[in-house]
Amino acid sequence: MNYQEGLNLIESFLPIAVGISLGCLAFIGAREFWHEFAVACKGVFQ
């Protein structure tokens, strides 16, 4: 495997890694949001 092939491998993998990272962050953010929302609703309904 020469240098160019290694570079292409990284270039093809990088967008996938970034996409997965952003997806995980969005998922965690959504979970936090829903958790806060549920806590707020419980406070209102008590």
Side-chain angles (χ1 to χ4, degrees):
M1 185 163 100
N2 61 23
Y3 176 73
Q4 195 64 36
E5 285 175 3
L7 199 64
N8 288 339
L9 191 68
I10 292 169
E11 283 180 1
S12 63
F13 179 73
L14 199 61
I16 297 169
V18 170
I20 291 170
S21 299
L22 287 176
C24 287
L25 280 174
F27 180 70
I28 291 166
R31 278 186 55 193
E32 287 292 319
F33 173 77
W34 284 115
H35 178 71
E36 294 297 326
F37 186 72
V39 169
C41 285
K42 281 181 188 169
V44 168
F45 290 128
Q46 278 179 353

